[in-house]
Amino acid sequence: MEAIVFANRSGWELSPLDRRYCPALLPIANRAVIEYTLDDLAQAGVSRVRLVVSNQAREIEALVGAGEKWGLRVEYHLSKVEESVTAVVPRLGLDPSTPCLFVRGDVLRSPNLKNLMVMATSLDGEVLQPLLGRRNAGIAILRPTSERLGELEWPLITPADTRGRVIELLPGDCNTLETWRDLLDANLLVASHAVPGLSPRGAARPSAEAVFFTGSHCRLPALAPQAGGGVIGEHCTLDKSCLLQGVVVIGTGAVVDRACRIQDALVMPHTYLGPGLALEGKIVCGDLLLDPATGGWIQVSDRDLLGDSRVATTRPAEKTPPLERTVALIGLTLTLLLSPLLLVTGGAWRPEKRRLFSNGGQHRMGWVLGGGNRGLALLPLLVLVVRGDLRLFGADPSRGIEEAGSLGVWGPVQLWLHSGASDEEVDIVQRHFRTLSPLRQLAMLWRWRRQARRRPQADDTTLTASSAIPGEPS
């Protein structure tokens, strides 16, 4: 049986999110709504799909393609935004005597199409419009000339008159995604395995109270102590001081800065959360902060608080001096020439890819060498100095954007401060370090190195902030 899928809702009822997403592309646990519909169709044995699209048609086609990911053959048909179903269907050239499966692809529902298709084979073309959770779920098996096609119009209305049709009450849930609360609930329920037939994807990592499903290429805090669970998309960066509570969904490419607390909230893909933000029961999409409980929303103009994680912050770029870039280039050259010796003397090196901040406030990917000397492990970051993204010496570029001063490859935090240092301790050390001249910065790092050598019984990561401040005991 051929399937006709409508994905032409405008999403005006979800404004201002409709500026960025049509309902078919809304992310639910880091997958678009339309993907769940196509999953259901593929499981039902459908092979050909006619996909009716309007706004964001290019984005939908880029995601779905020709349907090969699902084993489907997908054809695209353009319509006006929320154009009447009864106006679109005659243009599709369907056989008027052959029943088709009509589906709204911009509604989230438990998978039931396989059972529905089995049932349809015994009805010989009778009208079949099932209810899901006693609601019109936007699915029907009808002839293309049926007068009942109008019941697939948006908004969906559950029919009161059921004469002349077969009504089947299917198990599962249906969410029409008409409000922000619908969107938040859909994400949190799928993330917590509470929607029959729908499961979150990713690597399962247990927390203190639940499970997180995480995508690949993420940099995350320790999840085992977290008092929550949920879904974290691919290429996400969360500071180690973040707190995740309840059920959280964090979209692909999101960046969450230090000391943020997220509880029962949705962070949409490619969103940046600035330091110290607390979200509870909210939706964040780029620079938009939405409160489903009150219906209020604000657009934040300060990109150091909220914004697109792919866009530079408002912090002005700081140029790396030519002398430092030259020194970094020489250092890189020597590193390559001496790399066999480093491998012999430096221990078991493990290349690690990290997401860092540049001095222009942009996100950069850099390599470090884990498992050996901390100073030598940072040598690959000289590439970012040559490019002008970092200084040779400065604050830790992995901890977020500093209010002032430079981010650098080497500094007291990167080299000597113990790994369990508090944010306050880190801030004190870095604020003092950036007030020093380059020569005094080198002297400070050398002094810390001597102190580490005088502690043979302890690891070199056990120094504290007091060691960095002149006049205080070490």
Side-chain angles (χ1 to χ4, degrees):
M1 184 177 291
E2 191 171 3
I4 316 302
V5 179
F6 290 88
N8 60 347
R9 275 176 59 187
S10 69
W12 60 268
E13 57 274 270
L14 295 169
S15 177
L17 292 177
D18 60 334
R19 304 174 190 172
R20 307 181 186 191
Y21 295 96
C22 67
L25 290 178
L26 283 171
I28 306 295
N30 283 312
R31 300 188 71 213
V33 173
I34 188 66
E35 292 186 88
Y36 291 101
T37 299
L38 296 174
D39 286 347
D40 202 5
L41 288 168
Q43 293 171 11
V46 173
S47 59
R48 184 181 182 187
V49 174
R50 295 176 186 254
L51 189 53
V52 180
V53 295
S54 55
N55 53 332
Q56 295 194 323
R58 291 182 179 178
E59 289 85 349
I60 292 176
E61 186 171 2
L63 173 67
V64 175
E68 59 274 6
K69 178 181 176 181
W70 293 268
L72 302 171
R73 189 169 79 255
V74 176
E75 301 175 11
Y76 293 88
H77 298 268
L78 195 62
S79 78
K80 299 176 183 177
V81 177
E82 294 190 5
E83 185 176 1
S84 168
V85 172
T86 55
V88 173
V89 171
R91 301 203 303 264
L92 301 181
L94 302 172
D95 183 350
S97 63
T98 303
C100 296
L101 173 60
F102 293 90
V103 182
R104 290 223 65 100
D106 37 31
V107 170
L108 184 70
R109 62 182 74 82
S110 297
N112 270 296
L113 295 181
K114 184 175 182 179
N115 294 334
L116 187 65
M117 295 285 288
V118 172
M119 184 186 309
T121 58
S122 63
L123 293 178
D124 194 25
E126 291 188 44
V127 175
L128 178 60
Q129 289 181 285
L131 300 182
L132 193 58
R134 297 189 177 274
R135 300 178 62 183
N136 181 355
I139 51 179
I141 294 179
L142 304 168
R143 290 188 175 90
T145 55
S146 173
E147 297 179 356
R148 306 289 187 184
L149 282 174
E151 292 176 4
L152 293 169
E153 305 281 6
W154 184 258
L156 295 173
I157 299 175
T158 301
D161 180 10
T162 62
R163 292 174 297 179
R165 73 185 86 181
V166 175
I167 298 292
E168 177 70 13
L169 300 180
L170 296 176
D173 294 331
C174 173
N175 189 324
T176 53
L177 303 171
E178 297 181 61
T179 66
W180 301 339
R181 170 55 62 184
D182 289 342
L183 176 61
L184 179 60
D185 287 347
N187 273 276
L188 301 189
L189 290 173
V190 172
S192 55
H193 279 278
V195 179
L198 300 183
S199 300
R201 295 189 176 186
R205 299 176 60 181
S207 68
E209 298 184 5
V211 176
F212 283 97
F213 294 87
T214 63
S216 59
H217 304 101
C218 290
R219 187 178 177 202
L220 306 174
L223 297 179
Q226 300 286 348
V231 176
I232 301 175
E234 297 181 345
H235 301 285
C236 288
T237 300
L238 278 66
D239 188 83
K240 67 178 183 179
S241 60
C242 293
L243 293 179
L244 307 177
Q245 301 171 328
V247 182
V248 300
V249 175
I250 299 178
T252 299
V255 176
V256 181
D257 216 322
R258 61 185 181 272
C260 286
R261 182 175 65 85
I262 306 174
Q263 179 175 352
D264 298 321
L266 167 62
V267 179
M268 303 282 265
H270 304 296
T271 294
Y272 169 73
L273 300 185
L277 291 181
L279 300 177
E280 183 173 352
K282 304 293 192 295
I283 298 174
V284 185
C285 179
D287 58 357
L288 300 175
L289 177 62
L290 298 85
D291 187 349
T294 64
W297 66 277
I298 58 173
Q299 185 169 17
V300 178
S301 58
D302 187 349
R303 286 188 291 179
D304 288 339
L305 293 178
L306 286 181
D308 191 322
S309 63
R310 298 165 295 186
V311 179
T313 68
T314 55
R315 176 180 173 174
E318 177 184 344
K319 294 182 179 180
T320 303
L323 178 61
E324 290 190 21
R325 299 175 74 168
T326 302
V327 171
L329 182 59
I330 295 172
L332 274 176
T333 304
L334 292 175
T335 299
L336 291 174
L337 293 175
L338 300 176
S339 56
L341 179 61
L342 292 176
L343 290 174
V344 172
T345 61
W349 298 104
R350 298 188 309 273
E352 299 175 1
K353 196 172 186 179
R354 294 184 182 178
R355 189 167 186 141
L356 309 171
F357 288 89
S358 74
N359 277 313
Q362 297 173 313
H363 302 290
R364 295 286 185 259
M365 299 305 297
W367 289 93
V368 299
L369 301 174
N373 180 278
R374 293 173 73 174
L376 296 178
L378 300 174
L379 283 173
L381 295 183
L382 290 176
V383 172
L384 298 180
V385 180
V386 175
R387 290 173 50 181
D389 292 324
L390 295 177
R391 301 286 300 272
L392 283 175
F393 303 103
D396 185 358
S398 68
R399 287 180 174 262
I401 302 171
E402 296 296 308
E403 295 178 359
S406 304
L407 303 177
V409 173
W410 292 291
V413 173
Q414 300 94 300
L415 292 176
W416 306 118
L417 198 63
H418 66 94
S419 58
S422 67
D423 289 339
E424 292 77 11
E425 191 172 9
V426 170
D427 188 55
I428 290 172
V429 171
Q430 295 195 145
R431 284 180 182 275
H432 174 69
F433 186 75
R434 62 190 178 219
T435 63
L436 304 177
S437 66
L439 287 179
R440 295 194 66 187
Q441 287 179 345
L442 282 172
M444 176 179 172
L445 294 177
W446 181 256
R447 180 162 59 88
W448 274 39
R449 176 178 175 82
R450 291 178 61 190
Q451 291 172 0
R453 286 184 170 181
R454 288 201 300 265
R455 292 176 171 87
Q457 75 281 6
D459 186 83
D460 67 352
T461 62
T462 59
L463 299 179
T464 61
S466 62
S467 309
I469 310 302
E472 296 192 7
S474 59

